[in-house]
PDB file of all heavy atoms in Angstrom:
ATOM      1  N   GLY C  58     264.611 264.938-163.471  1.00 77.00           N
ATOM      2  CA  GLY C  58     264.519 265.615-162.183  1.00 77.00           C
ATOM      3  C   GLY C  58     263.419 266.648-162.096  1.00 77.00           C
ATOM      4  O   GLY C  58     263.360 267.412-161.126  1.00 77.00           O
ATOM      5  N   GLN C  59     262.538 266.677-163.086  1.00 81.00           N
ATOM      6  CA  GLN C  59     261.451 267.651-163.022  1.00 81.00           C
ATOM      7  C   GLN C  59     260.266 267.052-162.273  1.00 81.00           C
ATOM      8  O   GLN C  59     260.047 265.850-162.298  1.00 81.00           O
ATOM      9  CB  GLN C  59     261.039 268.050-164.424  1.00 81.00           C
ATOM     10  CG  GLN C  59     261.984 269.078-164.996  1.00 81.00           C
ATOM     11  CD  GLN C  59     261.524 269.575-166.329  1.00 81.00           C
ATOM     12  OE1 GLN C  59     260.672 268.975-166.956  1.00 81.00           O
ATOM     13  NE2 GLN C  59     262.093 270.679-166.760  1.00 81.00           N
ATOM     14  N   THR C  60     259.502 267.950-161.666  1.00 81.00           N
ATOM     15  CA  THR C  60     258.394 267.455-160.855  1.00 81.00           C
ATOM     16  C   THR C  60     257.296 266.894-161.750  1.00 81.00           C
ATOM     17  O   THR C  60     257.097 267.351-162.881  1.00 81.00           O
ATOM     18  CB  THR C  60     257.852 268.569-159.962  1.00 81.00           C
ATOM     19  OG1 THR C  60     256.808 268.029-159.179  1.00 81.00           O
ATOM     20  CG2 THR C  60     257.296 269.731-160.750  1.00 81.00           C
ATOM     21  N   LEU C  61     256.606 265.891-161.202  1.00 83.00           N
ATOM     22  CA  LEU C  61     255.480 265.325-161.936  1.00 83.00           C
ATOM     23  C   LEU C  61     254.209 266.124-161.691  1.00 83.00           C
ATOM     24  O   LEU C  61     253.218 265.951-162.386  1.00 83.00           O
ATOM     25  CB  LEU C  61     255.257 263.874-161.517  1.00 83.00           C
ATOM     26  CG  LEU C  61     256.301 262.845-161.939  1.00 83.00           C
ATOM     27  CD1 LEU C  61     255.955 261.498-161.345  1.00 83.00           C
ATOM     28  CD2 LEU C  61     256.349 262.743-163.445  1.00 83.00           C
ATOM     29  N   CYS C  62     254.247 266.960-160.644  1.00 83.00           N
ATOM     30  CA  CYS C  62     253.032 267.668-160.249  1.00 83.00           C
ATOM     31  C   CYS C  62     252.613 268.652-161.336  1.00 83.00           C
ATOM     32  O   CYS C  62     253.446 269.374-161.885  1.00 83.00           O
ATOM     33  CB  CYS C  62     253.293 268.416-158.948  1.00 83.00           C
ATOM     34  SG  CYS C  62     251.899 269.369-158.372  1.00 83.00           S
ATOM     35  N   ILE C  63     251.312 268.662-161.643  1.00 84.00           N
ATOM     36  CA  ILE C  63     250.815 269.571-162.666  1.00 84.00           C
ATOM     37  C   ILE C  63     250.046 270.733-162.054  1.00 84.00           C
ATOM     38  O   ILE C  63     249.292 271.419-162.734  1.00 84.00           O
ATOM     39  CB  ILE C  63     249.941 268.819-163.685  1.00 84.00           C
ATOM     40  CG1 ILE C  63     248.837 268.042-162.961  1.00 84.00           C
ATOM     41  CG2 ILE C  63     250.785 267.884-164.536  1.00 84.00           C
ATOM     42  CD1 ILE C  63     247.755 267.530-163.879  1.00 84.00           C
ATOM     43  N   SER C  64     250.192 270.927-160.735  1.00 84.00           N
ATOM     44  CA  SER C  64     249.560 272.042-160.007  1.00 84.00           C
ATOM     45  C   SER C  64     248.052 272.109-160.251  1.00 84.00           C
ATOM     46  O   SER C  64     247.500 273.192-160.433  1.00 84.00           O
ATOM     47  CB  SER C  64     250.179 273.378-160.405  1.00 84.00           C
ATOM     48  OG  SER C  64     251.545 273.266-160.561  1.00 84.00           O
ATOM     49  N   CYS C  65     247.399 270.946-160.247  1.00 85.00           N
ATOM     50  CA  CYS C  65     245.964 270.972-160.518  1.00 85.00           C
ATOM     51  C   CYS C  65     245.165 271.298-159.263  1.00 85.00           C
ATOM     52  O   CYS C  65     243.968 271.564-159.346  1.00 85.00           O
ATOM     53  CB  CYS C  65     245.512 269.646-161.087  1.00 85.00           C
ATOM     54  SG  CYS C  65     245.740 268.278-159.957  1.00 85.00           S
ATOM     55  N   ASP C  66     245.801 271.229-158.095  1.00 84.00           N
ATOM     56  CA  ASP C  66     245.154 271.623-156.841  1.00 84.00           C
ATOM     57  C   ASP C  66     244.120 270.612-156.347  1.00 84.00           C
ATOM     58  O   ASP C  66     243.383 270.880-155.408  1.00 84.00           O
ATOM     59  CB  ASP C  66     244.491 272.995-156.998  1.00 84.00           C
ATOM     60  CG  ASP C  66     244.648 273.824-155.724  1.00 84.00           C
ATOM     61  OD1 ASP C  66     245.604 273.558-154.984  1.00 84.00           O
ATOM     62  OD2 ASP C  66     243.818 274.701-155.468  1.00 84.00           O
ATOM     63  N   LEU C  67     244.033 269.466-156.999  1.00 87.00           N
ATOM     64  CA  LEU C  67     243.004 268.499-156.581  1.00 87.00           C
ATOM     65  C   LEU C  67     243.293 267.930-155.198  1.00 87.00           C
ATOM     66  O   LEU C  67     242.379 267.681-154.421  1.00 87.00           O
ATOM     67  CB  LEU C  67     242.905 267.355-157.589  1.00 87.00           C
ATOM     68  CG  LEU C  67     242.141 267.649-158.874  1.00 87.00           C
ATOM     69  CD1 LEU C  67     242.160 266.443-159.778  1.00 87.00           C
ATOM     70  CD2 LEU C  67     240.707 268.033-158.569  1.00 87.00           C
ATOM     71  N   CYS C  68     244.565 267.743-154.879  1.00 87.00           N
ATOM     72  CA  CYS C  68     244.901 267.196-153.556  1.00 87.00           C
ATOM     73  C   CYS C  68     244.489 268.180-152.472  1.00 87.00           C
ATOM     74  O   CYS C  68     243.939 267.792-151.437  1.00 87.00           O
ATOM     75  CB  CYS C  68     246.382 266.885-153.463  1.00 87.00           C
ATOM     76  SG  CYS C  68     247.460 268.214-153.987  1.00 87.00           S
ATOM     77  N   ALA C  69     244.723 269.463-152.742  1.00 87.00           N
ATOM     78  CA  ALA C  69     244.356 270.461-151.739  1.00 87.00           C
ATOM     79  C   ALA C  69     242.848 270.491-151.542  1.00 87.00           C
ATOM     80  O   ALA C  69     242.358 270.696-150.428  1.00 87.00           O
ATOM     81  CB  ALA C  69     244.857 271.829-152.172  1.00 87.00           C
ATOM     82  N   LEU C  70     242.096 270.265-152.620  1.00 87.00           N
ATOM     83  CA  LEU C  70     240.642 270.258-152.497  1.00 87.00           C
ATOM     84  C   LEU C  70     240.148 269.000-151.799  1.00 87.00           C
ATOM     85  O   LEU C  70     239.138 269.028-151.102  1.00 87.00           O
ATOM     86  CB  LEU C  70     239.999 270.345-153.883  1.00 87.00           C
ATOM     87  CG  LEU C  70     240.117 271.697-154.571  1.00 87.00           C
ATOM     88  CD1 LEU C  70     239.591 271.592-155.992  1.00 87.00           C
ATOM     89  CD2 LEU C  70     239.317 272.740-153.813  1.00 87.00           C
ATOM     90  N   ALA C  71     240.856 267.898-151.999  1.00 87.00           N
ATOM     91  CA  ALA C  71     240.393 266.639-151.410  1.00 87.00           C
ATOM     92  C   ALA C  71     240.726 266.547-149.942  1.00 87.00           C
ATOM     93  O   ALA C  71     240.125 265.761-149.217  1.00 87.00           O
ATOM     94  CB  ALA C  71     241.017 265.473-152.160  1.00 87.00           C
ATOM     95  N   CYS C  72     241.683 267.315-149.492  1.00 89.00           N
ATOM     96  CA  CYS C  72     242.162 267.150-148.121  1.00 89.00           C
ATOM     97  C   CYS C  72     241.114 267.602-147.112  1.00 89.00           C
ATOM     98  O   CYS C  72     240.673 268.749-147.148  1.00 89.00           O
ATOM     99  CB  CYS C  72     243.440 267.949-147.920  1.00 89.00           C
ATOM    100  SG  CYS C  72     244.082 267.772-146.264  1.00 89.00           S
ATOM    101  N   PRO C  73     240.708 266.742-146.192  1.00 88.00           N
ATOM    102  CA  PRO C  73     239.698 267.142-145.206  1.00 88.00           C
ATOM    103  C   PRO C  73     240.196 268.232-144.265  1.00 88.00           C
ATOM    104  O   PRO C  73     239.405 269.009-143.746  1.00 88.00           O
ATOM    105  CB  PRO C  73     239.418 265.860-144.435  1.00 88.00           C
ATOM    106  CG  PRO C  73     240.025 264.766-145.195  1.00 88.00           C
ATOM    107  CD  PRO C  73     241.096 265.343-146.034  1.00 88.00           C
ATOM    108  N   GLU C  74     241.489 268.273-144.050  1.00 85.00           N
ATOM    109  CA  GLU C  74     242.025 269.247-143.112  1.00 85.00           C
ATOM    110  C   GLU C  74     242.541 270.489-143.824  1.00 85.00           C
ATOM    111  O   GLU C  74     243.045 271.401-143.173  1.00 85.00           O
ATOM    112  CB  GLU C  74     243.153 268.611-142.290  1.00 85.00           C
ATOM    113  CG  GLU C  74     242.660 267.669-141.210  1.00 85.00           C
ATOM    114  CD  GLU C  74     241.966 268.398-140.069  1.00 85.00           C
ATOM    115  OE1 GLU C  74     242.294 269.567-139.831  1.00 85.00           O
ATOM    116  OE2 GLU C  74     241.081 267.800-139.448  1.00 85.00           O
TER     117      GLU C  74
END
Side-chain angles (χ1 to χ4, degrees):
Chain C
Q59 280 185 345
T60 181
L61 290 176
C62 178
I63 53 167
S64 320
C65 63
D66 218 25
L67 282 179
C68 50
L70 288 173
C72 181
E74 284 290 332

